[in-house]
Amino acid sequence: MKIAQYGTTIAVIHAIANGLHGLAHLEIPIPLSLLQSLFVGTVIFLIPIIAAVLLWTQFYRIGSWLLLSSMAGSLLFGLYNHFIAISPDHVSQVAFEGWGLVFQVTAILILIVDGLGSGIGFWALRTIQQQEQGAL
């Protein structure tokens, strides 16, 4: 039950932070490529929601894997695009005012949330494995 609660909480926080970040992308504007848009829509937005739902069902193991993989994927995507690759999407290329401030703050917040989400996904899988080994 705690796994589902923590996983759902982090998925909701993740969705809010990424929603605000996406709004900043639109307002500045900082466009994404088609491939980036597909990744964001699928891995960053859709899969964590599916994972949170599955955590409350008999498919909680799949939900845990989806949570871990989507959060880790989002973490790596954000780290690369916002802090490593110099492009219009890099935090150093966006003014620290108005929507640029929202962009930069949410870029950092997303890293923290995705790191926590990855940790929760890993913890969930480890807990499930320990419970199954104890049942043997």
Side-chain angles (χ1 to χ4, degrees), residues 80-128:
Y80 179 77
N81 286 293
H82 297 139
F83 299 99
I84 296 174
I86 301 299
S87 72
D89 203 14
H90 192 280
V91 293
S92 69
Q93 305 302 304
V94 178
F96 199 66
E97 58 188 22
W99 283 102
L101 177 62
V102 174
F103 178 90
Q104 293 189 2
V105 168
T106 55
I108 294 166
L109 179 61
I110 288 167
L111 279 184
I112 295 166
V113 170
D114 291 348
L116 288 171
S118 297
I120 290 169
F122 180 78
W123 167 72
L125 288 168
R126 187 169 172 165
T127 300
I128 291 165

Side-chain angles (χ1 to χ4, degrees), residues 2-70:
K2 283 195 185 285
I3 291 171
Q5 291 171 338
Y6 291 144
T8 300
T9 300
I10 204 70
V12 168
I13 295 168
H14 170 86
I16 293 168
N18 277 284
L20 287 171
H21 188 76
L23 185 57
H25 262 269
L26 293 172
E27 293 293 328
I28 291 174
I30 301 170
L32 298 177
S33 71
L34 176 61
L35 192 56
Q36 287 174 318
S37 294
L38 288 171
F39 185 87
V40 168
T42 305
V43 175
I44 295 177
F45 278 103
L46 184 60
I47 293 178
I49 294 168
I50 294 169
V53 170
L54 291 176
L55 289 174
W56 294 95
T57 72
Q58 65 185 4
F59 303 107
Y60 57 88
R61 177 190 290 277
I62 295 169
S64 298
W65 275 110
L66 289 175
L67 183 67
L68 173 58
S69 60
S70 65

